[in-house]
Amino acid sequence: MLAIARQRMLGQSFKKILPAVSVLRSYSSAAKQITVREALNSALDEEMSADPKVFLMGEEVGEYQGAYKITKGLLEKYGPERVLDTPITEAGFTGIGVGAAYYGLKPVVEFMTFNFSMQAIDHIINSAAKSNYMSAGQISVPIVFRGPNGAAAGVGAQHSQCYAAWYASCPGLKVLSPYNSEDARGLLKAAIRDPDPVVFLENELLYGESFPVSDEVLDSSFCLPIGKAKIEREGKDVTITAFSKMVGYALKAAEMLEKDGIYAEVINLRSIRPLDRSTINTSVRKTNRLITVEEGFPQHGVGAEICASVVEESFSYLDAPVERIAGADVPMPYAANLERMAVPQVEDIVRAAKRACYRSVPLAATA
């Protein structure tokens, strides 16, 4: 019932926002297009088929087939022993999942939203993330915590937070955040196969988005490396780093900047922890400028960590101050007009890039 109520509440907002999100896709031709939802579902299906130790658990993942239909068809195929509907008690079922991982099973724990993972954060941090170190390597915890993360539409301050920086600050966790269907499929497979706990941050506004995938991506053996970013668009004038939905915004901004003769290089981080510092710094040493983009709060954010890395390793290559684009430093407003102001927009990225390239008009000139 919780999922049904949430879906109805979001329905009208999604209809307004999804068309805008779809404009932001940037890709070349490919053999087939699949949605992010289908990519995640197929990854789960194939990994469950390949390894009987993999099982799913969470609120309404079975009979309802998932709050966002990511687990559609899996209960019928694998049965209730491997697709477990849980009560609305994140602390309880997350603890059960971590215990199962201690004994060699491979749980995939779904949070209906990562905001609810706060109920279970003790198990994620103190039980899952630290056990391998505290046992001197004797205990592995092969578990995946997955679900939608970040701002959705009209769900207020308590359901709109981005947890990338929260979890990425903790040693012992790996934190992944896919953008497109290739990311979703390849990174989820990698997460399930990994011997360590992985926090897998999705975005519900991207679930219904279609992206092209190659035959290689559709192969059951396909897997992406953890800790490796992808250059989505090459450029020479400014580097833009982003993850999840913000990659689409960055690509759209790059298209707009090109019309003004600014060629932006867009990096899809994919992996928040470990962070691909090498790819980021190599790009900055080429472009001499950096813009970081994220939905989360600005203080102690992912962008702040990237800035620190570039200052430490590539400071002498910078020709302009680093620009950070992030969510507003306030709880998410409920009103739609204020909500839009609280999250990064494409035009924010464009303005930042022009400032970095010294192409913006001084305020005094417009007075």
Side-chain angles (χ1 to χ4, degrees), residues 241-253:
T241 66
F243 61 94
S244 190
K245 187 176 67 173
M246 291 295 105
V247 177
Y249 282 37
L251 289 169
K252 181 62 176 177

Side-chain angles (χ1 to χ4, degrees), residues 182-193:
E182 177 180 325
D183 292 355
R185 184 169 158 78
L187 292 175
L188 185 54
K189 281 175 163 284
I192 294 171
R193 297 175 189 179

Side-chain angles (χ1 to χ4, degrees), residues 15-30:
K15 289 179 182 178
K16 297 176 181 179
I17 289 180
L18 286 177
V21 176
S22 65
V23 174
L24 305 181
R25 295 175 302 194
S26 177
Y27 47 74
S28 60
S29 60

